[in-house]
């Protein structure tokens, strides 16, 4: 009896099963990476929205023409009202080390700016302007770190 044909069929079937398995596994991994990137993009966008919303509220407080106590309250509530801390903790869990560090720096700069305004300073005082500019610089560093992390930047480190 000739076993060549049945053995060839079995081997061919095994090769087809293995090839299908490997193809499906590669597709699953690619889709999983895409889902992870989508989650990361959504998290980064949510944190930036919270951070920038708080910044805008602090800036508005610094320009508020009414009493210093109203400015203080408005500035003091900005970080809480925009869920900056909750978003920051999510960043600590998901973001890359570079983005986490930039997140901490941006948040520290935002809090310094908030504290300056909450102390009664107006938008055009030197201390308030300096803190606002420090926040803007840290904000740009954070954005660039996020772009690098997401692969949307062609950044090269300085020598």
């Amino acid at each position: 009896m000739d076993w060549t044909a049945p053995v060839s069929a079995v081997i061919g079937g095994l090769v087809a099963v293995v090839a299908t398995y490997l193809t499906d596994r590669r597709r699953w991994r690619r889709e999983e990476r895409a889902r992870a990137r989508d989650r990361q993009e959504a998290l980064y966008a949510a944190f930036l929205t919270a951070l920038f919303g708080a910044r805008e509220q602090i800036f508005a407080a610094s320009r508020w023409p009414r009493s210093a106590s109203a400015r203080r309250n408005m500035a003091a509530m900005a970080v809480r009202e925009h869920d900056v801390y909750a978003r920051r903790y999510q960043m600590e869990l998901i973001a890359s080390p570079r983005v986490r560090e930039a997140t901490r720096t941006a948040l520290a700069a935002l809090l310094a700016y908030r504290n300056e305004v909450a102390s009664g300073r107006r938008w055009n005082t030197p201390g308030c302007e300096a803190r606002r500019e420090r926040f803007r610089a840290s904000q740009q560093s954070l954005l660039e770190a996020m772009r690098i992390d997401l692969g949307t930047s062609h950044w090269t480190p300085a020598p």
Side-chain angles (χ1 to χ4, degrees):
M1 174 170 209
D2 185 17
W3 293 92
T4 310
V7 170
S8 295
V10 168
I11 291 173
L14 284 174
V15 168
V17 167
V18 169
T20 300
Y21 170 77
L22 292 175
T23 301
D24 287 346
R25 184 157 172 83
R26 272 189 296 247
R27 183 180 318 119
W28 176 82
R29 282 185 177 169
R30 188 174 50 249
E31 289 170 356
E32 185 59 29
R33 281 191 302 269
R35 282 189 294 274
R37 181 187 161 100
D38 290 346
R39 285 190 303 267
Q40 194 174 30
E41 286 176 351
L43 173 65
Y44 287 4
F47 180 73
L48 290 173
T49 299
L51 193 69
F52 298 160
R55 181 209 55 206
E56 288 302 312
Q57 185 171 332
I58 294 165
F59 182 70
S62 74
R63 294 182 60 91
W64 192 255
R66 308 211 182 191
S67 69
S69 65
R71 283 195 303 277
R72 269 193 295 281
N73 290 338
M74 190 175 177
M77 296 301 293
V79 173
R80 186 175 321 143
E81 287 179 3
H82 291 277
D83 291 329
V84 174
Y85 288 123
R87 302 288 183 200
R88 180 231 169 171
Y89 293 128
Q90 291 172 331
M91 295 290 285
E92 289 291 331
L93 291 172
I94 304 289
S96 70
R98 175 189 329 221
V99 173
R100 284 196 309 265
E101 184 59 36
T103 297
R104 290 181 200 122
T105 302
L107 181 57
L110 179 72
L111 295 176
Y113 179 36
R114 179 208 55 196
N115 293 343
E116 187 74 16
V117 172
S119 72
R121 303 294 190 290
R122 297 289 303 229
W123 66 277
N124 56 355
T125 61
C128 197
E129 287 177 346
R131 302 247 177 355
R132 188 171 55 249
E133 288 307 313
R134 181 172 162 242
F135 173 76
R136 283 186 185 144
S138 66
Q139 164 191 332
Q140 290 304 310
S141 296
L142 174 60
L143 286 169
E144 187 59 28
M146 287 176 170
R147 286 182 191 115
I148 292 167
D149 202 35
L150 294 170
T152 59
S153 177
H154 302 290
W155 179 81
T156 54

